[in-house]
Coordinates of all heavy atoms in Angstrom, one line a residue:
R13 N 24.7 185.7 -106.2 CA 26.0 184.9 -106.2 C 25.8 183.7 -107.1 O 24.9 182.9 -106.9 CB 26.5 184.6 -104.8 CG 26.8 185.7 -103.9 CD 28.0 186.5 -104.4 NE 28.4 187.5 -103.5 CZ 28.0 188.8 -103.5 NH1 27.2 189.1 -104.5 NH2 28.4 189.7 -102.7
R14 N 26.7 183.4 -108.0 CA 26.7 182.2 -108.8 C 27.3 181.1 -108.1 O 28.5 181.2 -107.5 CB 27.4 182.5 -110.1 CG 27.3 181.4 -111.2 CD 26.2 181.7 -112.1 NE 26.3 180.7 -113.2 CZ 26.9 180.9 -114.3 NH1 27.5 182.0 -114.5 NH2 26.9 180.0 -115.3
R15 N 26.6 179.9 -108.0 CA 27.2 178.8 -107.3 C 26.7 177.5 -107.9 O 25.6 177.5 -108.5 CB 27.0 178.8 -105.8 CG 25.5 178.8 -105.3 CD 25.0 180.2 -105.1 NE 23.8 180.2 -104.4 CZ 22.9 181.2 -104.4 NH1 23.1 182.2 -105.2 NH2 21.8 181.2 -103.7
R16 N 27.4 176.4 -107.7 CA 27.0 175.1 -108.2 C 27.2 174.0 -107.1 O 28.1 174.2 -106.2 CB 27.9 174.7 -109.4 CG 27.6 175.5 -110.7 CD 28.7 175.2 -111.7 NE 28.4 175.9 -113.0 CZ 29.2 175.9 -114.0 NH1 30.4 175.3 -113.9 NH2 28.9 176.6 -115.1
V17 N 26.3 173.0 -107.1 CA 26.5 171.9 -106.2 C 26.2 170.6 -107.0 O 25.5 170.6 -108.0 CB 25.4 172.0 -105.0 CG1 25.7 173.1 -104.1 CG2 24.0 172.0 -105.6
W18 N 26.9 169.5 -106.5 CA 26.7 168.2 -107.1 C 26.5 167.2 -106.0 O 27.0 167.3 -104.9 CB 28.0 167.8 -107.9 CG 28.2 168.6 -109.1 CD1 27.7 168.5 -110.4 CD2 29.1 169.8 -109.2 NE1 28.2 169.4 -111.2 CE2 29.0 170.3 -110.5 CE3 29.9 170.5 -108.2 CZ2 29.8 171.4 -110.9 CZ3 30.6 171.6 -108.6 CH2 30.5 172.0 -110.0
F19 N 25.7 166.2 -106.4 CA 25.4 165.1 -105.4 C 25.6 163.8 -106.2 O 25.1 163.6 -107.3 CB 24.0 165.1 -104.9 CG 23.7 166.3 -104.0 CD1 23.4 167.5 -104.4 CD2 23.9 166.1 -102.6 CE1 23.1 168.5 -103.6 CE2 23.6 167.1 -101.7 CZ 23.3 168.4 -102.2
R20 N 26.4 162.9 -105.6 CA 26.6 161.5 -106.2 C 26.1 160.5 -105.2 O 26.5 160.4 -104.1 CB 28.1 161.3 -106.5 CG 28.3 160.0 -107.2 CD 29.8 159.8 -107.5 NE 30.2 160.8 -108.6 CZ 31.2 161.6 -108.5 NH1 31.9 161.7 -107.4 NH2 31.5 162.4 -109.6
V21 N 25.1 159.7 -105.7 CA 24.4 158.8 -104.8 C 24.9 157.4 -105.0 O 25.0 156.9 -106.2 CB 22.9 158.8 -105.0 CG1 22.2 157.8 -104.0 CG2 22.3 160.2 -104.8
T22 N 25.4 156.7 -104.0 CA 25.8 155.3 -104.0 C 24.8 154.5 -103.3 O 24.6 154.6 -102.0 CB 27.2 155.1 -103.4 OG1 28.1 156.0 -104.1 CG2 27.6 153.7 -103.5
P23 N 24.0 153.6 -104.0 CA 23.0 152.8 -103.3 C 23.6 151.9 -102.2 O 24.8 151.5 -102.3 CB 22.3 152.0 -104.4 CG 22.6 152.8 -105.6 CD 24.0 153.4 -105.4
P24 N 22.8 151.4 -101.3 CA 23.3 150.4 -100.3 C 23.6 149.1 -101.0 O 23.4 148.9 -102.2 CB 22.2 150.3 -99.3 CG 21.0 150.7 -100.0 CD 21.4 151.8 -101.0
D25 N 24.2 148.2 -100.2 CA 24.7 146.9 -100.8 C 23.5 146.1 -101.4 O 23.8 145.4 -102.4 CB 25.3 146.0 -99.7 CG 26.6 146.7 -99.1 OD1 27.1 147.5 -99.9 OD2 26.9 146.4 -98.0
G26 N 22.3 146.3 -101.0 CA 21.2 145.5 -101.6 C 20.8 146.0 -102.9 O 20.0 145.4 -103.6
G27 N 21.4 147.2 -103.4 CA 21.0 147.7 -104.7 C 19.8 148.5 -104.7 O 19.5 149.1 -105.7
S28 N 19.0 148.4 -103.7 CA 17.7 149.1 -103.7 C 17.7 150.2 -102.6 O 18.2 149.9 -101.5 CB 16.5 148.2 -103.4 OG 15.3 148.9 -103.2
P29 N 17.2 151.4 -102.8 CA 17.2 152.4 -101.8 C 16.5 152.0 -100.5 O 16.7 152.5 -99.5 CB 16.5 153.6 -102.5 CG 16.7 153.3 -103.9 CD 16.7 151.9 -104.1
T30 N 15.5 151.1 -100.7 CA 14.7 150.7 -99.5 C 15.5 149.7 -98.6 O 15.0 149.4 -97.5 CB 13.4 150.1 -99.9 OG1 13.7 148.9 -100.7 CG2 12.6 151.1 -100.7
S31 N 16.6 149.1 -99.0 CA 17.3 148.1 -98.2 C 18.2 148.7 -97.2 O 18.8 147.9 -96.5 CB 18.0 147.2 -99.2 OG 19.0 147.9 -100.0
G32 N 18.4 150.0 -97.2 CA 19.3 150.6 -96.2 C 19.6 152.0 -96.6 O 18.9 152.6 -97.4
S33 N 20.6 152.6 -96.0 CA 20.9 154.0 -96.2 C 21.9 154.1 -97.4 O 22.8 153.4 -97.5 CB 21.6 154.6 -94.9 OG 20.7 154.6 -93.8
S34 N 21.6 155.1 -98.2 CA 22.5 155.4 -99.4 C 23.6 156.3 -98.9 O 23.4 157.2 -98.0 CB 21.7 156.1 -100.5 OG 20.6 155.3 -100.9
L35 N 24.7 156.1 -99.5 CA 25.9 157.0 -99.3 C 25.8 158.1 -100.3 O 25.8 157.9 -101.5 CB 27.2 156.2 -99.4 CG 28.4 157.1 -99.2 CD1 28.5 157.6 -97.8 CD2 29.7 156.2 -99.5
V36 N 25.7 159.4 -99.8 CA 25.6 160.5 -100.7 C 26.9 161.4 -100.5 O 27.2 161.8 -99.4 CB 24.4 161.4 -100.4 CG1 24.3 162.6 -101.3 CG2 23.1 160.5 -100.5
E37 N 27.6 161.6 -101.6 CA 28.7 162.5 -101.6 C 28.3 163.8 -102.3 O 27.7 163.8 -103.4 CB 29.9 161.9 -102.4 CG 31.1 162.7 -102.4 CD 32.3 162.1 -103.1 OE1 32.0 161.1 -103.9 OE2 33.4 162.6 -103.0
A38 N 28.6 164.9 -101.6 CA 28.2 166.2 -102.1 C 29.4 167.1 -102.2 O 30.3 167.0 -101.4 CB 27.1 166.8 -101.1
G39 N 29.3 168.0 -103.2 CA 30.4 169.0 -103.3 C 29.7 170.3 -103.8 O 28.7 170.4 -104.5

């Protein structure tokens, strides 16, 4: 079956992935 997925990562307010949880939008 042919399929596609996308992920868009929004870093936390501190701008660094280590400063908190990132918001990930997936489709």
